[in-house]
Structure formats: C-alpha cells, structure tokens
Amino acid sequence: MSEFDENDAFEAAARPSLSAQAMAARPMPYLDGLNPAQREAVEVLNGPVLMLAGAGTGKTKALTTRIAHLLNTGQARTNEILAVTFTNKAAREMKERVASLLGQTVEGMPWMGTFHSICVKLLRRHAELVGLKTNFTILDTDDQIRLMKQLIAANNIDEKRWPARLLAGVIDNWKNRAWTPEVLPASEANAFNGRGPELYAQYQARLKTLNACDFGDLLMHMVTIFQKHDDILKQYQSWFRYILVDEYQDTNVAQYLWLRLLAAGHKNICCVGDDDQSIYGWRGAEVGNILRFEKDFPGAKVVRLEQNYRSTAHILAAASGVIAGNEDRLGKELWTAAEGGEKVRLIGHWDGDEEARWVGEEIEAMQSGTRGRAPMSLDDMAILVRASHQMRAFEDRFLTIGLPYRVIGGPRFYERLEIRDAMAYFRLAVSQDDDLAFERIVNTPRRGLGDKAVQTIQGLARQNGVSLVEGARIAVDTGAIKGKGGKGLAELVMGLDRWHAQLRAEADTHVEMAEVILEESGYTDMWLNDKTPEAPGRLENLKELVKALESFENLQGFLEHISLIMDNDTDDAEEKVTIMTLHGAKGLEYPAVFLPGWEDGLFPSQRSMDEGKVKETGNGSGLVNLGLEEERRLAYVGITRAEEICTISFAANRRVYGQWQSQLPSRFVDELPADHVEVLTAPGLYGGGYGGAAGDFGASPLEDKASRVDAYNSPGWKRMQAQGALRSKPSPNESRGLVIDLEAVSSFTQGDRVFHTKFGYGTVMGIEGDKLDIEFDKAGAKKVVSKFIVPAAQAGDVPF
DNA sequence: AGCCTCCTAATTTTT
DNA sequence: TTAGGAGGCT
C-alpha cells in the first residue's frame, strides 16, 4: 500500500472518547428546526437507517443535520465520515450546509464527495493491485469510443453493423454490475454478436497498458480490491465509521456492493432516497437496492419523511395520484400544512408550435403579473421536457418574441472539443506515454499528418515497443515521414520535449506554461483563424480553462481531478426562463413549472415502454411494465418540482422526425385526479372557434378547411372533448382519475392498407404486440413499430 | 489531405 | 427534420 502523506485524511490521531456528559454539554440548536420524522432520522446515529424522503421533505436538511450531529456530539471526526453523493453539485451543497449548521467552516470532510471522486482517491492508493500506476488517467467517453473503434477494427468487425457506441454501452453495463472480464457470467456470452466478452477483455488490457481507466472502472476496481484484499477492506471499514449515502435509489450494483462491503462491519450506514424518484434505471440504477435495504440490513430503522415544504396541496395530490399507478413502491404519502393554491392546470393544444406559443405568452403574463397574480421572475419558471429535442420549439418561439431563456444540459464544459484538445496537449506535456492524447492532437491543428502518417507512427511505435511520441521521434529521426507532415511532426515532438522539460523544471509555472503550450502548438492560432461563428466562444472557453488552472498547484494535479470536477454551472445575472429535461430537474424546484408534451409515445416515451422489461406484480394480477413505471416516476418528479403553479400540456399534432403525427394525450393525464386539476380552454380549439376567446394569434393554422375537419376527427381531439365535458360536469363520486373512453384510439388489423414515411404504401400482414408485419408495395416485407404507420387513407392529408 | 454528398438513425446522462 | 458519420471524389 502506498505511503500516506502528511495531510492524509487518515492521519492517525487519538479519537477523544466521549462521555454522555460531554455530549450533553454541547449545544444542539440545529435540532430545533426539525419535524419529528427528521429528528428521528438525525438522532438514531448507530446502526442502519433508511431515510425514505419524498420530494421536498427536507432530506438534505436531515442528512446534513445528521452529519453535524455526528460531529458535534463527538461521535465521529470529520475524516471518519464517508458521505457519498452522485454529483459534485450535491457534494458541494452538502459541505456548505454542514458548515453553516456548525457555524464554522468544516476543514476537512475529506470523504464527502461523489462515488467517483472518492473512488479515485482510494484507487490511487491501491492502483497497483489492479495493474495500474498511481498516476493513471481517467478517460472520458470520447477516448473510450475511440479506443473501442480501434479494437473493433482490429478484430475485423463491421463497425457499421456493430458500432463502438453499442459496445461501450454493453461494457458500461457490465461494469455497473461490477463484472470484470474474469467473472463475466456465461449469460453474457452472446453480447455484441458474441464478440462482447473478448472485446471487453481486450479493452481492459488496453486500458492497463495505457495506464488508464474509465468512469466505470473507478467503482469496479475498488469493489474488486475490496473483495480480494480483506486486509485493505478491514482497514477502510474501521476508518469510515459512519457512512451516509444520498440518492440511494440511483445506486447501481457496483456502488451497492462497494457500500455494502464498507458497511459490513459496523453497519453504521444511513441511506437516503426516494423509490418514487428512481429515474436512472436505464443507466444501471437498481431501484431494488432501496427496496431491499431492510433485508440487507436486518433491524434497519426506516424513517419516512412525508411532510412536504415545497408545493401546494393540489400539486401534491396530483403527483400522488399519478405515482399511485405504480406497483413497485415502498409507499409514501406526501402531505403539507400549507393551504390554498391553484389547481394543476391542464391544457391541450393543436400542435407543438402552438403549445410553445401559448407557454411563451403565459410566461410573459406571469412575469408581468396579470390574472390576479403577483409578478414573477423568469428565474422562478421552468419548462421541463421529456426529451431534449422538445426544447427546440420553445427556443425558436422565445427567440422570436425575445424572451430570455437558458437551456440546462448539453455538453459539459470539459466535454467540449477545444477543452479536450487543450487537455490532450497538457496530458502529453506531463506524460509522453499518453497515446490517446497524442492521437487526438497529432494533426490538430493541421500539420499535414493524415491517416497514412499516423499509421506509420503507430507501426514504428509497435515495432519498437514504445509510445506513440517515441514512435514519432523515430519517424522524425529516420525521415520516415516526408514533406510538410515530417516538418510538422518534428516541430510537435520538439515542442512536447520543450514543454515537458519546462514543466519539470518549474512545475509552478503551469498557468503560463498552459498558455505557452497552446500558443506554440498553434492551437490558439487555429481558432483565431477560424471564421466559423463558434470560434470566439471556443477561445473564451480556452481562456476559462487556463483560469481554472490557477486553483491547482500544478498541471498534474489539475489533470488528475479535472475530469471529475469540471461542471458548468451557468451563473448569469440576467433573469431567464429555464428549459431542461425532466431528468435534469431532479432535486430542483421552481415556483412555476411547465410540463409540455404529455402525449403517449413522447411521454411516456415509446422506447421505454417497448423495452419490454416486465416484472410479476406482487399480487399476481399480472405483469408490470418497468419502463412505464419509470416514466411514471419521471412524471412524479416533474410535478413535484412545482411550488405554486404547475401547468401540464399536450398537443394533438406533433412533427416527429419531420412527419406530422396526431398524438394522444398521455395516459398520465388520465391519472391526474380530477379534483385537483383545472382544465384550461385551449385557445384556437375550444369555445367560439379558432382564436375567439383569447384574441388573435396571427395566421390561423386551421385556414385550410379540410385539415380542420381532420383535426376534429382525430383521436386526440376526441379525447380533448372528453376532457372538456368532464370539466363541465364532474362526477362527484369518482374523483380519482380523469378516466376517458379510449375507444377512439385507432389500431390496425390484418389486411389494412397503410403508409410509412420511408417504405411507402403497403398491406398489414400480421401483428405482434405493437409491431406490424407489413408487405410494402415497393420495399417488400418489413416489421415496423405501429407508431410509424398511418392508415393509407390518411397518408395524403396529414395536417400541414 | 480535404471537401462534399449521401445515408442513417433518432430518450433520458453523471462521473 | 436534422445531425453526424462514412465513403467517395478531386
């Protein structure tokens, strides 16, 4: 095991033994603001605790108070508490709040961080046990894909049929389950056309020679080490005397094993989570972990936080009504002491553009404070969509009306092209062994080194058993690459040597060196000479990157951490509406929330329902579609983001992949309890005809009489009418569910003439679930998801 | 080596 | 519809 340095978090020091008096003597003002459930969750310090914390129930408060309590009572010292989160943001927030609770900065808390950042720290101590050196690099997704592409090519696999992305997904899945190539179960043998297992082994071997690991490895390697080296595990078990886990419902198998191993001794583990907010199953999260907690830790104390401090009663009731549709739950019922508030608002629109237009106007109205409401800041409003492509309609609309907005999500700072290029240069300046970095920048900026030149370098490197930089050096020395490329390569190699020497000599000049490297390599010039509109932004980002270096002591330290900590929180001063995905919104709250696109196929998304992951229900009444349940949890997350005003909307028509489709309102709409929903009249569809009630909206989309008739015959429209009818005469005895007759939903039968965007006209030959066997007139027999099929009669007159 | 055109596929995303 | 990738052409 590596030596610990002076500042080591584990540095031995006698732990003061605490008497009951000592504990009682310390004031605990932080306990006063807690409700009984929170207080219980805070005060039971020893043994396993499961804190089931519903949305907005003060879970972070309880968690941070618990940490403060552990410290304040002297039960644990800062370096004996392992507190794990999923995001850096959550870790940061936790640190800040613990500090403010204790009224002092918490110097230390070295083991409060993300799963990944903690595992990096641990793995750097024990890297040699999994065949790595302590200064291993962490590959980002891009590097991973490039590596896998090479492997796929080397194995003579057709990359078009078996893309690297797919392999990356397969391997990632295995790693999430902590399956190393050695323990990969036989059931996985067929993965990736039967080549998965061997490619996985090759990939891991390649990582080892590169002295690198990917994100999944961080966890998996630590689990492996803990499993194989009992002495090391024991040591950490005694060091981490208290374990706290945030968002436990999002843990995957590897994380679960890691936690279980560490907690196995003292079992002082407190997991906080909400099974109803488990929305990351698709990336390996196992709701099962939280559902099984009491079995894993017999005698666990289970505390439910159910008092909500965020939303109005109507909003909570709507959320509860929807989530009640799920079978697989531990069961919680949110309640609030707050009274009053608006009902959840539901509105249907003609199409996606109109929905965006309406939301824009509604936002402007809220901002200026009409309709008896106080004016609201744009910062207090958010639009939460299921899929990022939905954002476009809103962006387009907001641009035309000049409504400021911010989009959350998209590429992270460190994922940007220019940042990764720059980092590759830095990596090479620090270590010339970094082949992936070399490959990345060898011809960036252009040096006249194309595929052929790179192959030459790779060949030389392989023959001599050296790194690519050394291979390049040989190529330069032997004149293996001629002309412009040869000259460029010579300059690059000289540059790398110079930078490396300079950094070794004066490591603390790294900020200036970073600038020098970007200058001398020609990278800055490359963007200065670039005429595309993105170029200035990229140069800005490079400046920011250099600035970020200032908070590190040297380039090496920067590189070791950067891939884990570079998140982009945009803190701009101007008030803006937020647009983001439902996934991105978890953990956030806004006074006003818009939830557009509640249409079957979009939300719940067709894909998630088609995945076909099913499970027996507890009562044997049938099968549960797990994909659908996760979508429903997403709906629950969406609604519970709203504090005061929650507006759900759907459109009767939407353009999907460039093709207009009529849409049905989401089944989740039907699950909203009618008593807590106000159905708004859709301008343009209800009442005195188009545009009648709400003023004019410019050119009417319904000017064409034929399409208007079609619109009124569409299933979506029929369902809308049903909604409207229900609003006018609510049934007193059936408050739950806006249950609407679904007979209008069209389906296909054998022999139907149908139309498909790409394949043209055809005849339905058979039906399997939602897939149709169709004999196309031109394209022949195909199996197509019914979603992509319209009756032939409608093919010509799809609206717009 | 670099540009251009054709083809294909198309949630959700943190580290 | 559109974006990104691959392959072909100059």
Side-chain angles (χ1 to χ4, degrees), chain A residues 33 99 101 118 139 154 275 286 295 319 353 489 518 543 545 586 594 635 677 708 711 746 758 776 799:
Chain A
L101 280 171
I118 289 169
L139 301 191
D275 50 317
E286 288 276 339
K295 282 196 195 111
D353 292 338
L489 190 62
L518 295 179
K543 264 191 213 151
L545 178 71
K586 194 168 76 148
F594 291 88
V677 174
R708 183 192 296 233
S746 64
K758 209 182 301 163
F776 287 101

Side-chain angles (χ1 to χ4, degrees), chain A residues 148 150-159 161-163 166-168 170-171 174 181 184 186-204:
Chain A
M148 289 186 193
Q150 292 172 9
L151 286 176
I152 287 170
N155 283 271
N156 293 316
I157 296 169
D158 180 9
E159 227 250 63
R161 288 190 57 192
W162 299 97
L166 186 68
L167 180 63
V170 169
I171 291 181
W174 289 338
L184 196 63
S187 59
E188 302 299 307
N190 293 327
F192 205 71
N193 202 24
R195 309 292 294 278
E198 53 178 308
L199 286 166
Y200 182 25
Q202 288 175 24
Y203 173 68
Q204 291 305 92

Side-chain angles (χ1 to χ4, degrees), chain A residues 229-239:
Chain A
H229 302 272
D230 202 46
D231 51 328
I232 293 175
L233 175 62
K234 285 258 156 58
Q235 193 171 19
Y236 287 113
Q237 283 176 340
S238 62
W239 273 333

Side-chain angles (χ1 to χ4, degrees), chain A residues 237-447:
Chain A
Q237 283 176 340
S238 62
W239 273 333
F240 298 138
R241 299 180 55 242
Y242 289 90
I243 300 174
L244 297 99
V245 190
D246 193 18
E247 306 280 16
Y248 189 60
Q249 77 283 350
D250 289 339
T251 50
N252 61 33
V253 173
Q255 287 155 343
Y256 164 81
L257 290 172
W258 187 82
L259 287 169
R260 211 179 59 174
L261 285 161
L262 282 171
H266 48 62
K267 301 201 170 60
N268 291 329
I269 182 168
C270 173
C271 292
V272 186
D274 181 357
D275 50 317
D276 291 334
Q277 291 187 68
S278 165
I279 54 174
Y280 285 110
W282 50 272
R283 67 177 194 207
E286 288 276 339
V287 213
N289 292 345
I290 195 166
L291 301 175
R292 213 177 41 235
F293 188 84
E294 292 180 77
K295 282 196 195 111
D296 288 332
F297 297 99
K301 175 101 199 151
V302 179
V303 184
R304 284 183 162 74
L305 304 191
E306 295 176 297
Q307 182 175 4
N308 176 292
Y309 298 96
R310 178 187 296 161
S311 312
T312 65
H314 285 308
I315 290 170
L316 291 183
S320 297
V322 171
I323 199 66
N326 272 7
E327 295 271 349
D328 230 5
R329 306 180 58 206
L330 289 169
K332 259 181 289 84
E333 196 73 40
L334 294 183
W335 62 278
T336 177
E339 284 175 24
E342 291 183 46
K343 290 185 176 181
V344 168
R345 311 181 313 155
L346 177 67
I347 180 166
H349 299 282
W350 166 246
D351 65 15
D353 292 338
E354 194 198 281
E355 181 180 56
R357 194 181 315 144
W358 185 84
V359 169
E361 272 155 21
E362 196 63 15
I363 287 171
E364 287 178 330
M366 287 179 175
Q367 187 186 20
S368 50
T370 54
R371 299 183 208 157
R373 290 197 201 103
M376 281 174 111
S377 162
L378 291 179
D379 287 336
D380 290 338
M381 306 180 210
I383 299 165
L384 311 182
V385 297
R386 175 62 182 83
S388 48
H389 65 250
Q390 290 172 260
M391 294 178 179
R392 193 184 177 135
F394 293 97
E395 291 193 62
D396 285 351
R397 183 64 196 161
F398 295 172
L399 282 172
T400 56
I401 63 174
L403 184 66
Y405 67 88
R406 79 170 65 83
V407 170
I408 309 267
R412 321 249 127 220
F413 184 74
Y414 70 86
E415 279 173 356
R416 291 172 199 196
L417 178 86
E418 66 277 16
I419 300 303
R420 280 208 293 239
D421 287 343
M423 302 247 300
Y425 274 106
F426 299 161
R427 275 156 64 181
L428 276 173
V430 169
S431 159
Q432 300 198 344
D433 292 336
D434 199 327
D435 286 357
L436 283 167
F438 182 81
E439 275 174 23
R440 183 174 185 101
I441 54 83
V442 62
N443 199 31
T444 308
R446 305 258 128 96
R447 298 189 174 90

Side-chain angles (χ1 to χ4, degrees), chain A residues 578-641:
Chain A
T578 300
I579 305 175
M580 67 174 135
T581 63
L582 286 162
H583 283 92
K586 194 168 76 148
L588 304 178
E589 56 188 12
Y590 294 88
V593 167
F594 291 88
L595 302 169
W598 280 42
E599 294 138 40
D600 255 31
L602 182 58
F603 186 46
S605 90
Q606 196 61 48
R607 279 201 153 207
S608 64
M609 293 187 292
D610 289 347
E611 271 169 3
K613 280 191 202 150
V614 288
K615 196 184 149 180
E616 292 282 345
T617 57
N619 53 27
S621 63
L623 293 174
V624 187
N625 182 333
L626 293 179
L628 179 61
E629 295 223 327
E630 185 153 310
E631 295 288 300
R632 192 175 279 115
R633 292 193 288 266
L634 208 42
Y636 174 80
V637 167
I639 297 170
T640 53
R641 298 310 97 196

